[in-house]
Amino acid sequence: MKTTITVNGEKRALDVDPRTTLLDALRETLHLTGTKKGCDHGQCGACTVLVNGTRINSCLSLAVMHDGDAVTTIEGVGTVEKLAPIQQAFLTEDAFQCGYCTPGQICSALGMLAEVAENWPSQETADLTGPIRLTDDELRERMSGNICRCSAYPQIVAAIRSIAGQPA
């Protein structure tokens, strides 16, 4: 099937089998290998990308479902020459060990911060009447779909906290 997806700001025409996941289209067809295949069941978050600004597990979504959508992968977040603030925070806070989950963690953090900015509640949100206070528990709950097998969780929380613009 033919589909057109804007990936990292560039319109890309794809001709893919209708059973091709967005993850496989990104990795195998477009050769954007920053997005990782972890569990292939939507349980680890290594494949997290942003679709129209919303974070999704790309292993659970078919590429043809995203005709006309804007997809941001880790390759579209920043460059080696000009890291995005979240990428710099991950480096500064040493928020990665092996680095395998880091692209998904970063994309998820960006999506999560957008959710907080729009005042979307989570399971952990205590006060639904005011702005969301991004406590460490709130942050952990919102990032719970992204697993780090090396257990760099304290550093990941610190990295996100450093750019969240809210006190702990």
Side-chain angles (χ1 to χ4, degrees), residues 18-162:
R19 298 168 293 179
T20 303
T21 64
L22 179 58
L23 172 61
D24 287 338
L26 293 168
R27 289 183 59 79
E28 306 301 327
T29 305
L30 298 177
H31 307 290
L32 296 170
T33 57
T35 304
K36 302 300 185 220
K37 184 178 280 201
C39 66
D40 225 11
H41 292 103
Q43 297 172 336
C44 72
C47 67
T48 305
V49 298
L50 302 170
V51 176
N52 300 326
T54 301
R55 57 188 171 154
I56 70 161
N57 291 330
S58 61
C59 73
L60 295 180
S61 190
L62 299 175
V64 296
M65 295 169 55
H66 298 287
D67 189 46
D69 285 346
V71 175
T72 303
T73 68
I74 192 66
E75 290 91 348
V77 172
T79 65
V80 173
E81 298 81 24
K82 185 166 174 37
L83 295 175
I86 187 71
Q87 291 171 310
Q88 185 59 57
F90 265 65
L91 285 173
T92 301
E93 298 295 337
D94 196 23
F96 56 91
Q97 303 251 334
C98 77
Y100 195 82
C101 72
T102 305
Q105 296 275 1
I106 288 173
C107 286
S108 190
L110 291 171
M112 182 269 299
L113 291 170
E115 294 165 9
V116 169
E118 292 182 27
N119 222 33
W120 293 6
S122 79
Q123 179 72 22
E124 190 63 34
T125 306
D127 180 7
L128 300 178
T129 63
I132 292 173
R133 186 168 170 270
L134 195 58
T135 63
D136 284 352
D137 286 342
E138 180 84 33
L139 197 156
R140 285 186 196 100
E141 168 65 25
R142 290 174 179 271
M143 292 297 292
S144 65
N146 291 81
I147 295 171
C148 173
R149 289 171 179 87
C150 301
S151 294
Y153 296 115
Q155 299 95 312
I156 292 167
V157 168
I160 297 169
R161 164 112 12 255
S162 75

Side-chain angles (χ1 to χ4, degrees), residues 1-6 10-16 29-30:
M1 292 186 75
K2 295 190 184 308
T3 188
T4 302
I5 303 172
T6 301
E10 182 182 339
K11 197 172 262 193
R12 306 293 296 263
L14 302 172
D15 189 5
V16 294
T29 305
L30 298 177

